[in-house]
Amino acid sequence: KPGEVGEGLKKPTSMAATSNPTITLNNGHKMPAIGYGTWQAKPGEVGEAVYQALKTGVRSIDCAKIYRNQEEVGRAFTRFFKEGNVKREEVFITSKLWNTEWADPVQALKTTLKELELDYLDLYLVHTAQCWEPLDGELGPDPKKANFQEFLESGKTSVKDMWQGMEKGVDQGLTRAIGVSNFPVLMIKDLLTYARIKPAIQQNEIHPYFQQKGNTEWCLKHGIQITCYSSLALASPALKEGHEKLPEDPKVVELAKKYNRSAAQVLLRWAVDKGYSIIPKSLKPERIAENFNLDFTISADDIKQLDALERGFRTVPQDFFGHIPYYE
């Protein structure tokens, strides 16, 4: 039944046993652990990249309304599925409800399905913990406008009302599972007091420099699986500040040499070995293949060494939502 705890985390000890390990969601559906993300993928490039990822063997694609590229991604889906080699049900597809869409998640979901040229999603996430008032179809105002801060605090839809709309999306067969992203634990805890269908996933920024251990451990304890974004800690907002790049950290470089892999592969495998799912993005076919081919495991001791790199360094600061202290 929707929202019931499934058989738990499927964490293989060797990639040799399966080309892409899976995690089992709390509704029993399986999600590939190694996926492909479409954030910061520009129109004119993202469609071909998604198509190449699918041809490479990737079977989980992460999308979102706010990425402003879903129509092109949808054309890539149609192109790939029309070839007839892989069925729609063999690919796990995720999208997200944006902040301005809280008042009517069902309609937002239908719009997303039309853009992606799909009949259903496998997973629909609430993109952030903030509600903004709708803007006649716009996703948000210009941050430079004088009333921007006022707009950011304008939302009138409660988390409960929004979540009940998300549940209707499951009831109507528009999505198989629902979940959250960038949510503080206290908001999820409150949500669970009335949720008829539990969140299946919490999608968060997670990498060795920013592990969110408290949030992650609490979610897993309550049957909510974890998807990591910005796994390489290379998201643009923080790099402008001159921070050391995680793939260039001496310990990461050392382990890359030890395993004869790239630094990116070591960081991605770290997450998979911890039982998380990942959604790395690249526009280069060779890098897409590299990110997918994680046919090795990292020893427990080396996992601990990567864990020790924690710095509390969030590369996608949440204060761009208007300095509302959700995460302090």
Side-chain angles (χ1 to χ4, degrees), residues 60-80:
S60 176
I61 306 293
D62 183 82
C63 313
K65 180 74 171 182
I66 192 59
Y67 300 165
R68 303 174 192 269
N69 57 19
Q70 288 195 139
E71 291 182 346
E72 185 174 338
V73 172
R75 291 192 291 272
F77 286 152
T78 297
R79 173 188 175 192
F80 180 73

Side-chain angles (χ1 to χ4, degrees), residues 217-287:
E217 290 173 2
W218 189 92
C219 286
L220 291 173
K221 178 181 177 181
H222 290 83
I224 302 169
Q225 301 290 5
I226 301 297
T227 296
C228 310
Y229 70 79
S230 297
S231 295
L232 308 185
L234 294 176
S236 57
L239 290 184
K240 297 176 182 178
E241 301 173 11
H243 288 281
E244 179 181 23
K245 295 180 179 179
L246 175 57
E248 298 174 2
D249 185 286
K251 177 54 65 176
V252 177
V253 172
E254 174 189 325
L255 292 177
K257 292 180 180 178
K258 174 179 177 178
Y259 289 96
N260 193 28
R261 299 285 175 160
S262 70
Q265 287 177 309
V266 167
L267 293 169
L268 294 172
R269 187 71 222 195
W270 169 84
V272 172
D273 280 342
K274 290 177 77 70
Y276 310 149
S277 55
I278 56 173
I279 46 172
K281 183 218 75 178
S282 177
L283 298 176
K284 299 178 180 179
E286 64 274 16
R287 188 64 57 82

Side-chain angles (χ1 to χ4, degrees), residues 29-230:
H29 290 293
K30 296 183 185 298
M31 176 181 183
I34 305 170
Y36 180 82
T38 58
W39 181 42
Q40 295 183 326
K42 298 178 182 179
E45 300 175 331
V46 65
E48 184 61 27
V50 167
Y51 177 77
Q52 290 300 326
L54 291 167
K55 294 290 283 186
T56 297
V58 175
R59 292 295 177 262
S60 176
I61 306 293
D62 183 82
C63 313
K65 180 74 171 182
I66 192 59
Y67 300 165
R68 303 174 192 269
N69 57 19
Q70 288 195 139
E71 291 182 346
E72 185 174 338
V73 172
R75 291 192 291 272
F77 286 152
T78 297
R79 173 188 175 192
F80 180 73
F81 292 130
K82 277 187 174 180
E83 293 176 353
N85 298 317
V86 176
K87 297 178 180 179
R88 161 67 185 94
E89 55 266 32
E90 296 177 70
V91 179
F92 193 101
I93 301 175
T94 301
S95 189
K96 307 179 191 74
L97 179 83
W98 184 235
N99 302 358
T100 55
E101 299 177 308
W102 278 36
D104 195 346
V106 169
Q107 183 55 51
L109 180 47
K110 289 179 178 178
T111 299
T112 277
L113 290 173
K114 182 178 180 181
E115 290 177 347
L116 292 174
E117 301 185 14
L118 300 172
D119 295 325
Y120 70 93
L121 290 178
D122 295 277
L123 177 64
Y124 195 44
L125 302 176
V126 185
H127 204 145
T128 84
Q130 294 196 54
C131 171
W132 300 344
E133 282 298 282
L135 282 175
D136 297 324
E138 295 295 323
L139 301 180
D142 184 344
K144 297 179 182 178
K145 290 186 177 180
N147 65 342
F148 184 63
Q149 180 65 36
E150 179 181 346
F151 167 78
L152 294 180
E153 301 184 23
S154 67
K156 299 297 190 295
T157 303
S158 69
V159 177
K160 182 176 182 179
D161 287 345
M162 174 275 296
W163 192 253
Q164 290 174 341
M166 295 285 285
E167 291 173 329
K168 290 178 182 177
V170 178
D171 295 339
Q172 296 180 25
L174 303 176
T175 182
R176 290 181 168 179
I178 50 179
V180 295
S181 178
N182 301 302
F183 263 56
V185 164
L186 284 177
M187 292 184 72
I188 304 175
K189 185 176 185 296
D190 180 71
L191 187 155
L192 292 179
T193 65
Y194 52 77
R196 179 168 53 86
I197 301 175
K198 289 175 60 174
I201 285 283
Q202 158 85 309
Q203 185 179 123
N204 259 341
E205 175 180 348
I206 296 175
H207 46 77
Y209 279 179
F210 190 64
Q211 298 171 41
Q212 302 208 58
K213 290 182 179 180
N215 189 307
T216 296
E217 290 173 2
W218 189 92
C219 286
L220 291 173
K221 178 181 177 181
H222 290 83
I224 302 169
Q225 301 290 5
I226 301 297
T227 296
C228 310
Y229 70 79
S230 297

